[in-house]
Amino acid sequence: MFKVSRKHILLLLIFVFAFAYRLILMLWASYPPGADIGLHNSVINSITQSGNTNFLWNNYQMGGGLSLTFPGYHIFAAAIIMMTGMSNYIAQPVIVALFSSLLVLCAYLITKSVWSESGAFIVAFLVAVSRPDMEILLWAGYPNVITLLLIPLTFYLYLQKDRFSLVPFLASTSILVGSIYLTHSLSAAVFVATTVATVLIVMVSPKTFGTSRKHVFYWLLPLALGAALVAPFLVNAVPAYLSSNSSFTVVSAINSALLSTRVIPLTTILPLFACTILFFFLSKEYRGRFISLPAFLLFMWLLVPTVLTQGFLFGLYVDYNRFLYFLVLPVLILIGMFIDRGSIFFAHIIDNYRVLTSQVQKTTTNAHKTLDKVLSRITRKTLYAAFIVSIMLICVFAFPIFITPWQGTTDQSFYQVMDNPGYQAILWAKQNTAANSVFVSDALYGWWFGGFAQRPTLSAVDPQYLTIAREFAPANFAKNLLDTDYMIDNGYIQVREDGGYIGRHNPMFLADLNWTYFPYSFLQFNDSEITVLSQNDGNIQSTNITQIPVTGMQLADPQTDSPSIIVNKANNDFSYSEILTVSKGVQFVNMTIILQSTSENVSLDWVNFVLNSQGSFLQPNANTIAMLDAGTKEVGQLIFTQNQPQVHNYSKQYPCITELSYNLQGQSKAEIQILVGLYAVSDADIGDPAILNQTLITHQANPQEPQKNPPVLTTFDYQAALQQYSVSYVANRDFELNPKFANDPKFNLVFINSEVALFQVKGDANLAGS
């Protein structure tokens, strides 16, 4: 009969604490944090619809289409939701909090079987307060949470193989391995790589590890049997993945974004490499030999993900930060065991010292009887316990790998996406729009919208977070739509223009840098600060161009090598036209401003532009100005080809603010032309002003000279893109952008609360019942 001991009760208390801690943090704000819960809910809703289920198809993510989100977790969650009737956003946190808490028990079992039971309790507690394990719950990496339990559980069974006959061992491990394959592709890759590397190395000289080739060979069988169990899924998933990432251009863009944002510095990784050898010292202490099979498995468990964090060195492109989660348990086992060994050591030293000093005191004097009585109650066990508690408290409060309740609420707030107003808008869309309505939203809210409103949603997700090539184009469209109306990018310089319905940074010029995927915002003409001074029958008037109604705007000649963005405005006194022409292979943009009075009584006196830019101000001569950003080794240069302005610089360093004032001399029509360029400079340019001046003058002399082997020119036209993606609604949470949609006759406001505005694309009939 199983007998419950104090140790079992302690382990149960740690498990209950871990579960309660995780669940409370996840539901601290009523709605679980993270955006990916919406993605998971879209998978659950897709696989639970009536009819045949296609596990590789998501009806809502990125407008609906091929999805390579492995469905193991979602199948399990769907079953729990249907059996219990819990709401989806409550059931999912409960499920993953339970699995994450079970890792406490798994960590205890592994540590106890490999090292010691006392160390196992320490490791179990450290897992309970592990910040990475909590963090992955907060950003909603739910499938990864499941596999972070399944992997150590499988390794535990590997190490305990001798306690099983062959059939139960293969049956249990094959089911676990198949579950890993079905749940999370990256976890499957890390698990297989760790297992295969361990087995192959051990099989070279099994006696060195104290085992046999036959023993470790049985570790390989579940890899094949587990794959066989989920073969119907894998047979379809593997070719789908390969075909979905066959576009070289798109994959290159995703890889470039990964390298720009998700590379882990080597200084962070080097200490992890150093930690790997510590397992062999523990092996010597507990197993009497430096090299043993359990120690080597833990060594490889830490080494393989550590090496993979630098996968870009050998052509592996993935979110490298994700590998860090696989390192957490081996590192916690190391920390826990060294806390245990350190506490034992210090308790032993102090106890011996106490015994020796007490003996000396007894032979010389009978004083300090009270102190002797107290000291006699301090045993080696109490000293050990005191060291354990003290060191663990120091670790929890001092080291960022562990999380305190107040740090937990801070992290929870950081990842929180949903609240009552946000969910209210989702419910409104679910109840009042047609099921096939296509929505556009930002990256975080878009996942929730697609999953819980159950509407195809294009989310403005950065490329480094995309998994397949087909998601790139709709994500890029959503980002552009929520930022601007028109964009032209020739690979050297990018121009964005909001089109006239909102007054802010228009136009904006961004540099395409060769060391990052993301364009660098370098300079902008703030159209809310562009003013025209005119006279009407002798009356002087000042007009901000944002107050002039838009009469037309377009992306002209988008299929040519020199497309233009044209924005026309007019009032009763004059018209104002802005033309931005970007040519393939040319580093300068032709910016032309045309003003013309529409009344005989109106004359044009001055037009003032305010230029905001990076870098420091330079003026080689009267016909050009420049801004040098030494940090990015980039220069922005303006060349005045007609009507030289009066230049007033108000701030020479970032933010560099310059005013350009054009004297229009009372004419009825004026044309201003400015060539705006962005290009890289050398260290010599930065270090020597004379060399830099010569570089600026050289570009001034030949601004339209095309570069050799120019990149592909790309454009964005919001009206054409809305039709291309059959967009019905825009869900906007950035209220600064509301005028961009509210003032545009293309859109109609249909819902708004304190946080979300829903704009319907006019001409779309996808309202429920319409």
Side-chain angles (χ1 to χ4, degrees), residues 66-213:
L66 179 69
S67 171
L68 291 180
T69 303
F70 282 30
Y73 157 75
H74 309 93
I75 294 170
F76 181 82
I80 297 298
I81 290 169
M82 287 188 290
M83 287 189 294
T84 62
M86 286 192 291
S87 63
N88 291 26
Y89 68 81
I90 297 296
Q92 293 191 66
V94 171
I95 292 168
V96 293
L98 176 62
F99 273 85
S100 180
S101 303
L102 287 172
L103 185 60
V104 167
L105 306 181
C106 192
Y108 168 83
L109 291 173
I110 290 179
T111 309
K112 179 184 176 183
S113 66
V114 176
W115 309 127
S116 70
E117 186 174 29
S118 58
F121 279 107
I122 298 172
V123 173
F125 176 77
L126 295 181
V127 171
V129 294
S130 164
R131 188 170 194 162
D133 288 315
M134 198 76 75
E135 193 175 62
I136 198 172
L137 293 172
L138 296 179
W139 62 258
Y142 297 164
N144 206 169
V145 171
I146 306 302
T147 54
L148 287 176
L149 169 67
L150 297 179
I151 289 174
L153 183 56
T154 307
F155 284 153
Y156 172 73
L157 293 179
Y158 280 176
L159 294 173
Q160 298 297 306
K161 179 193 170 297
D162 292 338
R163 297 178 58 183
F164 300 92
S165 59
L166 184 58
V167 173
F169 170 78
L170 291 179
S172 57
T173 53
S174 298
I175 291 173
L176 290 173
V177 172
S179 299
I180 295 171
Y181 290 157
L182 190 63
T183 303
H184 195 248
S185 57
L186 187 64
S187 297
V190 172
F191 171 75
V192 170
T194 304
T195 302
V196 171
T198 302
V199 170
L200 292 180
I201 294 174
V202 170
M203 291 185 78
V204 172
S205 180
K207 291 184 179 180
T208 305
F209 300 90
T211 187
S212 65
R213 288 188 176 91

Side-chain angles (χ1 to χ4, degrees), residues 114-115 279-280 283 290-300:
V114 176
W115 309 127
F279 286 115
F280 298 118
S283 180
F290 278 108
I291 301 178
S292 63
L293 182 60
F296 187 69
L297 175 61
L298 287 167
F299 167 81
M300 295 300 294

